[in-house]
Amino acid sequence: MTRVLSVASECVPLVKTGGLADVAGALPAALAGQGVGMRVLLPGYPAVLGAAAKTPVLREIPDLFGGPARIRRGALGKAVLYILDAPHLFDRPGGIYLGPDGRDWPDNPQRFAALCKAAALIAAEGVEDWRPQVLHLHDWQAGLTPIYLRQAGVRDVRTLLTIHNIAFQGLAPAHMLSALQLPAHLFNPSGFEYWGRISALKAGIVFADKVSTVSPTYAEELMTPEFGMGMEGVLADRAGDFTGILNGIDLDAWKPPYATPQGKAPHRAALRKEFGLPEADGPLCVVVSRLTGQKGLDLLIEALPALLENGGQLAVLGSGDPGLEAAFAKAAARHAGVALRLGYDEALSRRMIAGGDAILVPSRFEPCGLTQLYGLRFGTLPLVALTGGLADTVINASVAGLAAGVATGVQFHPVDARTLSRALTRLCALWHQPAAWQRMMDNAMAHPVGWDASARAYAELFEAMAA
């Protein structure tokens, strides 16, 4: 069995800010049947330690970036969890990346360098008579690990860096080289230097044995200036070691409360009642998202007339950019067919996906996206931009897709308000074709969105790396 340590800054069900946590939480169980024994290393945030009471201490670290630390053992379902208990770095109020003032913790470079150091220590010396063959590093927070492995003289443990979102690059000023215990001779354009700063993400891209991202299309996109966010050249240099493996979802955790699309009707009626929406002669569309420009929701505001004029409705759950929050609030005040709930509510999000006819994901870029996968699972047809994982998971209701009877949703490109307006008009027209809409719902609910295929791909990669 291939021994893998997953090094992540967040992981469901313990702590989550985004899709990275879903992946980190799902992979150990998904890989268990594929000949991979995956354990997980997480920072000891209060939420993590609080869920792992009376955890035994496996290793003491006298000084880890300014204070003592220890590695504790916990559990993540049936998988082994290692917790980096370093109170001076992780025991604090606020979010895991942001303080109560909404700004990055100023010592984030040291906090996640500590996570990388702990991973390198486990790789070098083992713990509980267990030593990994591969380290699976998630995003910039684990990106410095290959550097620390080199410093520890470890040559027989391989590393895979998975990029979940290249927009976050783990930048720190050059004067922190010493504070982060990084070798000055690697601070150059061929190493981890990025426009005069330290980039933890670039360190991972350059020095990990393999690099992956969360969908095949996003892997291709990242090697272009439009999507690479300054890292496209570095990734192109690693093209031979760079792959895209699509995310999946936990089919048990995301099981619709009905077996067939016909069961959606009472959930639709309940959702309209909950949001105060009247009956309508058009699809009830839902958005469950951060309200940001990346998610293309400014485009949806512009395109909203196309939905409303064709009888459609919109229910939104999310928070984020104050300007977008205000724009959706204004739309809800003006139009009876628009409703808004600010914030995030997991239970409400599930009710919305169960009751909605369509789920809108007009993202400008989307590494993989999980929302459209939830929509497919629930027979809630995704309307998505043709980008990243959205392109890889939704089969467009084109003339060919409808004729072949395989369509599962609507895609649009280019990603602008005019094209989104046409896509919303097309969605409403399809809703008025009951046979076509029913076939799409059947296709969506039958579409494979679990981890089986992706777990096999990861297992094959880990096995090859460990050989």
Side-chain angles (χ1 to χ4, degrees), residues 236-418:
D237 287 343
R238 297 300 313 273
D241 296 313
F242 185 33
T243 189
I245 300 176
L246 198 62
N247 283 344
I249 61 173
D250 185 325
L251 299 183
D252 293 327
W254 287 91
K255 187 175 182 179
Y258 41 81
T260 66
Q262 288 77 11
K264 183 181 281 287
H267 297 278
R268 182 192 303 112
L271 184 61
R272 280 198 169 110
K273 183 177 180 180
E274 184 169 2
F275 273 85
L277 293 168
E279 290 295 317
D281 187 27
L284 172 55
C285 299
V286 299
V287 167
V288 179
S289 177
R290 288 182 290 113
L291 304 183
T292 66
Q294 180 218 319
K295 297 297 183 179
L297 295 174
D298 55 320
L299 305 178
L300 180 57
I301 290 290
E302 287 188 60
L304 195 54
L307 176 65
L308 300 176
E309 289 166 7
N310 285 282
Q313 295 176 315
L314 179 66
V316 178
L317 171 65
S319 61
D321 180 85
L324 283 172
E325 290 183 0
F328 278 107
K330 184 177 180 181
R334 284 186 170 182
H335 304 288
V338 179
L340 171 68
R341 295 287 176 87
L342 288 175
Y344 184 70
D345 181 324
E346 178 79 13
L348 176 57
S349 74
R350 290 170 181 264
R351 295 196 298 274
M352 291 173 70
I353 295 171
D357 294 303
I359 188 161
L360 311 183
V361 193
S363 303
R364 286 182 166 87
F365 67 92
E366 194 65 64
C368 177
L370 298 175
T371 309
Q372 84 280 8
L373 301 182
Y374 304 146
L376 291 168
R377 176 80 165 138
F378 280 60
T380 307
L381 302 187
L383 184 154
V384 302
L386 186 66
T387 186
L390 305 176
D392 291 329
T393 54
V394 177
I395 302 173
N396 187 33
S398 62
V399 173
L402 291 169
V406 297
T408 61
V410 174
Q411 294 176 332
F412 70 97
H413 184 79
V415 186
D416 58 34
R418 180 177 297 180

Side-chain angles (χ1 to χ4, degrees), residues 136-147:
H136 188 187
L137 314 173
H138 296 276
D139 266 349
W140 73 265
Q141 292 90 345
L144 295 177
T145 308
I147 304 291

Side-chain angles (χ1 to χ4, degrees), residues 4 15 43 46 61 70 90 137 144 157 165 175 186 199 203 209 214 276 306 335 344 362 389 407 418 428 450:
V4 180
V15 59
I61 306 173
R70 56 205 60 83
F90 302 117
L137 314 173
L144 295 177
V157 176
N165 190 336
H175 68 74
L186 295 180
S199 170
D209 294 294
V214 290
H335 304 288
Y344 184 70
R418 180 177 297 180
C428 293

Side-chain angles (χ1 to χ4, degrees), residues 130-215:
W130 181 89
R131 188 166 172 258
Q133 296 165 287
V134 179
L135 297 180
H136 188 187
L137 314 173
H138 296 276
D139 266 349
W140 73 265
Q141 292 90 345
L144 295 177
T145 308
I147 304 291
Y148 297 139
L149 278 179
R150 283 186 169 210
Q151 290 178 321
V154 178
R155 297 287 182 265
D156 61 342
V157 176
R158 303 289 177 244
T159 51
L160 168 68
L161 174 76
T162 294
I163 301 169
H164 295 266
N165 190 336
I166 205 163
F168 303 103
Q169 300 183 351
L171 300 177
H175 68 74
M176 292 189 69
L177 273 172
S178 177
L180 297 176
Q181 301 170 26
L182 294 172
H185 73 277
L186 295 180
F187 184 68
N188 59 63
S190 298
F192 54 77
E193 182 265 338
Y194 182 74
W195 294 98
R197 305 179 78 185
I198 298 163
S199 170
L201 181 68
K202 188 182 177 190
I205 293 172
V206 171
F207 295 107
D209 294 294
K210 300 284 185 181
V211 183
S212 73
T213 191
V214 290
S215 72

Side-chain angles (χ1 to χ4, degrees), residues 77-145:
K78 295 181 179 180
V80 173
L81 172 67
Y82 294 129
I83 303 168
L84 177 60
D85 181 11
H88 63 293
L89 297 172
F90 302 117
D91 184 10
R92 56 183 69 175
I96 61 176
Y97 310 124
L98 308 177
D101 61 358
R103 298 183 180 183
D104 286 350
W105 291 110
D107 61 345
N108 272 349
Q110 293 95 324
R111 297 172 75 226
F112 296 105
L115 180 68
C116 299
K117 275 277 190 180
L121 178 66
I122 293 172
E125 302 179 8
V127 64
E128 297 186 296
D129 297 322
W130 181 89
R131 188 166 172 258
Q133 296 165 287
V134 179
L135 297 180
H136 188 187
L137 314 173
H138 296 276
D139 266 349
W140 73 265
Q141 292 90 345
L144 295 177
T145 308

